[in-house]
Amino acid sequence: ANQPVKVVRKPCEEDLCLEPLCDEVVEKMKKEGIDMSQVRIGAFQRMICPKCKGGPNKERSLSVFIRENGTCGNWTCFRASCGWKGYTQPDGVSKAYQANKDAGNENGSDQEVKANQPVKVVRKLREEDLSLEPLCDELVTYFSERMISAKTLRRNNVSQRKRNDKIVIAFTYRRDEVLVGCKYMEVSKRFSQEVNTEKILYGLDDIKQARDIIIVEGEVDKLSMEEAGYRNCVSVPHGAPAKVSKKLPDKDHDKKYLYLWNCKEYLDPASRIILATDADPPGQALAEELARRLGKERCWRVKWPKKNETEFCKDANEVLMFLGPRALKEVIEGAELYPIRGLFNFKDFFPEIDSYYLGIHGDELGIPTGWKCMDGLYKVVPGELTIVTGVPNSGKSEWIDALLCNINNQCGWKFVLCSMENKVRDHARKLLEKHIKKPFFDARYGGSVERMSKDEFEEGKEWLNESFHLIRCEDDCLPSIDWVLNLAKAAVLRHGVRGLVIDPYNELDHQRPPNQTETEYVSQILTKIKRFAQHHSCHVWFVAHPRQLHNWTGAPPNMYDISGSAHFINKCDNGIVIHRNRDPDAGPVDVVQVCMKKVRNKVIGQIGDAFLTYDRITGEYKEADEAIVAKVVKQQIRQKSTSYQR
């Protein structure tokens, strides 16, 4: 049952009539730098790669193949640091058609012909055919200089062989002590191997029923691990890829990592697999490819130590040579869990936690609002979301503008504004009045206060341009939340803004799918905003209007009154209600009540109310006198009592 199947091909007259090499294909391959004088059709040719020049050893690492009909060709460089490959054919000929023509499908249809595809025969090796010999003294010395003992060499059946008039080192690949393959290494580290043999891991018998397995990138590294006391180690049979592949192929097409599938019964019982591949980029790419196939949840990775003050060790043998077996053992003992995207340890965030504890950034306890009566209730923290609501004409936008001006004055923060209800010129007037503390016009609302001067106006424009950026729709379309956040991201990266204002929610384009409820839609929007805030360390103020209030008594609304969904209070970090006194009997009508309805982070605030007075002339907010606050609170208690009686 295990005997190889030999496929006998019957030639026909047409097969013997080879087409001449297509001139177009020749020219295309010449343009790639391939020496066409060395190429023969129907046979693999090895030559020096025109891209990497064969590396320092001038390896003939480029494999070139021209189909027998001479109309297409492909090439691959097998040096790990290069990996250059390509395919060429005459213009207008599809690969499917060419494959069919090669397989004998004369009508050239796009259906693949699998019946005539060759069956690859796995070659079985015999010990006597390889003429292996014990290592000579010179090669034993070669290994001893790399801290590998003769005892380790004998146990792993490391031999030598005369090949191409050279004595080469032979690493025998065995399963259940039966010879499966053989890889050869010259002292100059040029590698070759027996062709058409089954691909397995080197040292496979050493991991039989092992719960912990170490995988390295070369046979010498496997021997080095044994010198450190680890026999449960195997090596991959060939080098590392130049980079991680974009897509993980299925088992039938995973040819480059076929050795993993062939050794699956040895690898499956392992609960921990330590990937000790080389420290260079190809080695790290190999670790990723192995982890993707073996399961990242059971993989660990090593961190190679420093070889000297400036360089790190590249692999296990370098650690053994420069630092000794004890250091190599410590590398394995110190292996870390292989990272899985989205899964972390607290250790991964220790630098950030340390900065938070030490207060390095200066905003760990929040940015003060500029009003002492509010700082005990609310401070601004980068990366958080604040929902602001209130009945119409309560001054929500005015209060946010005043807050931004205070923060800019204290910390120099920059902001990006998506304010759909404001004309640009009106928004500029409001911000300038708060900054300069003078009215923009000599109009009735300004009373007897002197208007801002021309010089103050010009200085204010410079401040306005440096501190604020705008997100505006240039046509009559409504902006979507994705469109707003993409522009806000550009503002963060280009201008270094620290705060985003979206005012208001109902001016956004809400085209939710027909099978999605408004509650689900609002939850999705708020999740996107919070992810943006956290990722870009940017505070977001989001204004949302309450739904129509029936039998409203004049008291401040609740966060659950926001039109659309209770998620506005459930998902935000901070919830604020802006309420303006409209009853002259309850106190001055310029009193503004700022109600903190939710504070997720106890470090920066708590639930409570703060009272400010609004200067209609300059748009400033100032702390209200205690007597005024007491009168307003007393009136609100009276209103609540009346509503309960009703």
Side-chain angles (χ1 to χ4, degrees):
N2 296 326
Q3 290 295 319
V5 179
K6 185 175 181 180
V7 178
V8 179
R9 176 174 173 268
K10 293 183 178 182
C12 58
E13 295 288 341
E14 294 81 8
D15 293 336
L16 301 178
C17 185
L18 303 179
E19 301 178 21
L21 199 61
C22 178
D23 292 339
E24 188 175 344
V25 173
V26 172
E27 291 303 319
K28 286 184 176 182
M29 297 184 77
K30 282 183 177 179
K31 288 179 180 179
E32 298 290 346
I34 299 173
D35 185 2
M36 298 303 294
S37 63
Q38 302 182 42
V39 177
R40 296 197 307 272
I41 61 174
F44 286 96
Q45 301 292 313
R46 298 296 290 267
M47 61 185 67
I48 293 177
C49 174
K51 297 295 183 182
C52 65
K53 309 301 182 186
N57 296 323
K58 302 297 182 183
E59 298 178 46
R60 299 170 69 86
S61 58
L62 185 69
S63 176
V64 180
F65 180 76
I66 303 295
R67 288 191 179 274
E68 291 183 357
N69 55 29
T71 57
C72 61
N74 58 280
W75 60 91
T76 302
C77 178
F78 290 100
R79 289 192 71 243
S81 57
C82 180
W84 179 55
K85 58 184 178 180
Y87 178 92
T88 186
Q89 59 187 6
D91 294 336
V93 179
S94 68
K95 289 186 180 181
Y97 172 85
Q98 191 61 51
N100 289 333
K101 189 174 181 182
D102 295 335
N105 188 4
E106 295 179 359
N107 59 17
S109 66
D110 287 338
Q111 180 161 357
E112 294 182 8
V113 180
K114 296 183 178 179
N116 293 329
Q117 288 184 351
V119 177
K120 186 174 181 179
V121 178
V122 176
R123 174 172 163 237
K124 287 196 171 185
L125 296 181
R126 295 186 302 176
E127 300 270 359
E128 54 270 22
D129 292 339
L130 299 184
S131 302
L132 300 180
E133 303 172 351
L135 290 174
C136 63
D137 293 341
E138 289 82 358
L139 291 180
V140 172
T141 303
Y142 169 83
F143 279 106
S144 67
E145 291 173 352
R146 282 150 183 78
M147 304 293 289
I148 296 173
S149 66
K151 178 182 177 182
T152 299
L153 296 171
R154 286 193 299 272
R155 197 193 76 83
N156 288 275
N157 296 303
V158 181
S159 309
Q160 71 178 39
R161 178 188 177 185
K162 188 173 182 180
R163 201 163 187 256
N164 297 329
D165 298 326
K166 291 182 180 179
I167 299 296
V168 295
I169 300 165
F171 298 103
T172 53
Y173 282 66
R174 300 173 185 270
R175 179 195 280 121
D176 295 330
E177 299 184 2
V178 176
L179 183 65
V180 174
C182 191
K183 185 175 177 181
Y184 305 107
M185 183 185 81
E186 298 178 16
V187 175
S188 61
K189 290 193 174 182
R190 293 185 64 179
F191 294 92
S192 59
Q193 56 187 316
E194 293 292 334
V195 298
N196 297 331
T197 58
E198 183 184 7
K199 301 303 178 189
I200 62 171
L201 293 162
Y202 178 69
L204 186 61
D205 289 343
D206 288 339
I207 63 168
K208 196 170 186 177
Q209 300 302 320
R211 303 297 295 173
D212 287 5
I213 293 175
I214 304 170
I215 300 180
V216 294
E217 195 176 324
E219 293 81 5
V220 176
D221 292 328
K222 186 270 192 284
L223 303 177
S224 300
M225 285 294 178
E226 187 164 325
E227 294 295 340
Y230 296 103
R231 289 190 177 182
N232 56 327
C233 177
V234 289
S235 169
V236 299
H238 44 69
K243 58 183 180 180
V244 179
S245 59
K246 294 181 180 179
K247 186 178 180 181
L248 188 64
D250 57 36
K251 176 183 175 181
D252 294 334
H253 297 88
D254 200 11
K255 302 302 182 184
K256 194 164 187 178
Y257 298 91
L258 185 60
Y259 56 86
L260 293 178
W261 300 104
N262 291 339
C263 302
K264 192 174 185 297
E265 61 181 294
Y266 289 80
L267 297 170
D268 281 351
S271 57
R272 190 170 80 132
I273 300 175
I274 300 174
L275 304 178
T277 55
D278 290 3
D280 56 12
Q284 296 307 298
L286 174 62
E288 177 66 16
E289 294 285 10
L290 294 175
R292 292 163 74 185
R293 290 161 173 81
L294 297 170
K296 293 183 179 180
E297 67 280 356
R298 61 175 179 155
C299 287
W300 298 57
R301 66 178 181 180
V302 301
K303 295 182 72 174
W304 298 115
K306 275 193 170 184
K307 180 167 55 175
N308 50 48
E309 293 183 359
T310 58
E311 297 178 297
F312 281 85
C313 291
K314 175 179 175 289
D315 53 29
N317 187 243
E318 279 200 1
V319 175
L320 182 66
M321 289 174 60
F322 289 91
L323 304 177
R326 179 60 194 167
L328 183 54
K329 189 172 184 178
E330 290 175 355
V331 168
I332 299 302
E333 291 174 349
E336 300 177 346
L337 290 165
Y338 198 88
I340 299 176
R341 186 176 182 181
L343 183 63
F344 302 95
N345 294 323
F346 266 107
K347 183 180 179 181
D348 300 324
F349 296 91
F350 277 175
E352 180 182 342
I353 297 171
D354 291 343
S355 299
Y356 187 41
Y357 175 77
L358 298 171
I360 290 175
H361 298 297
D363 54 17
E364 288 78 10
L365 299 179
I367 304 298
T369 63
W371 303 292
K372 290 184 179 179
C373 63
M374 274 211 65
D375 288 342
L377 305 176
Y378 173 67
K379 289 182 181 177
V380 177
V381 176
E384 290 191 350
L385 168 63
T386 297
I387 299 292
V388 181
T389 190
V391 298
N393 204 31
S394 294
K396 300 181 289 295
S397 302
E398 286 274 4
W399 178 81
I400 291 177
D401 286 347
L403 176 64
L404 302 187
C405 290
N406 290 348
I407 295 174
N408 175 266
N409 185 49
Q410 294 177 107
C411 307
W413 273 27
K414 296 179 180 180
F415 306 93
V416 58
L417 310 175
C418 181
S419 182
M420 283 79 77
E421 290 185 331
N422 276 314
K423 294 180 180 179
V424 173
R425 65 181 189 180
D426 289 333
H427 206 167
R429 170 181 58 79
K430 295 174 184 179
L431 292 169
L432 288 173
E433 286 179 339
K434 291 174 175 58
H435 176 66
I436 300 174
K437 299 178 174 54
K438 290 182 179 180
F440 192 84
F441 291 117
D442 281 328
R444 182 173 59 83
Y445 78 90
S448 60
V449 178
E450 181 184 0
R451 178 191 187 187
M452 64 181 70
S453 67
K454 180 69 173 176
D455 290 341
E456 290 172 331
F457 174 63
E458 292 298 330
E459 178 274 331
K461 287 197 302 181
E462 290 295 324
W463 166 82
L464 198 65
N465 190 57
E466 292 176 0
S467 304
F468 298 93
H469 303 274
L470 302 174
I471 294 177
R472 307 285 296 186
C473 271
E474 297 181 353
D475 49 33
D476 57 355
C477 297
L478 292 177
S480 68
I481 190 63
D482 292 330
W483 182 81
V484 171
L485 293 180
N486 283 334
L487 289 176
K489 175 184 176 181
V492 169
L493 300 177
R494 177 176 288 188
H495 304 296
V497 303
R498 302 298 305 277
L500 164 65
V501 177
I502 305 174
D503 180 14
Y505 162 76
N506 62 338
E507 289 286 342
L508 293 172
D509 183 16
H510 303 298
Q511 294 184 0
R512 70 174 189 266
N515 61 343
Q516 187 179 45
T517 66
E518 186 175 14
T519 299
E520 294 170 338
Y521 173 72
V522 170
S523 175
Q524 186 181 69
I525 279 185
L526 295 176
T527 298
K528 289 180 179 180
I529 295 174
K530 290 191 68 174
R531 293 292 176 267
F532 166 82
Q534 293 171 5
H535 183 73
H536 296 287
S537 191
C538 179
H539 195 100
V540 180
W541 291 270
F542 194 16
V543 179
H545 295 310
R547 62 176 180 268
Q548 186 176 356
L549 301 176
H550 299 285
N551 302 319
W552 181 49
T553 62
N558 198 288
M559 292 292 293
Y560 286 106
D561 293 325
I562 297 177
S563 176
S565 172
H567 279 305
F568 280 107
I569 186 171
N570 295 339
K571 304 196 77 166
C572 69
D573 297 297
N574 310 289
I576 298 177
V577 175
I578 304 296
H579 183 66
R580 182 170 64 84
N581 177 39
R582 290 171 169 79
D583 184 1
D585 295 333
V589 292
D590 62 351
V591 174
V592 176
Q593 184 177 356
V594 183
C595 311
M596 289 301 305
K597 295 296 185 181
K598 179 182 179 181
V599 180
R600 191 188 301 276
N601 185 357
K602 69 178 183 180
V603 173
I604 62 103
Q606 60 184 340
I607 293 174
D609 296 342
F611 293 88
L612 306 172
T613 58
Y614 175 64
D615 187 340
R616 191 167 182 271
I617 296 175
T618 63
E620 294 179 90
Y621 286 80
K622 301 177 182 178
E623 296 182 38
D625 295 336
E626 293 183 4
I628 295 175
V629 173
K631 187 175 181 180
V632 172
V633 172
K634 184 177 180 181
Q635 179 63 21
Q636 288 181 351
I637 294 173
R638 188 182 301 116
Q639 288 176 344
K640 287 182 180 179
S641 177
T642 303
S643 64
Y644 289 150
Q645 291 175 1
R646 290 177 181 174

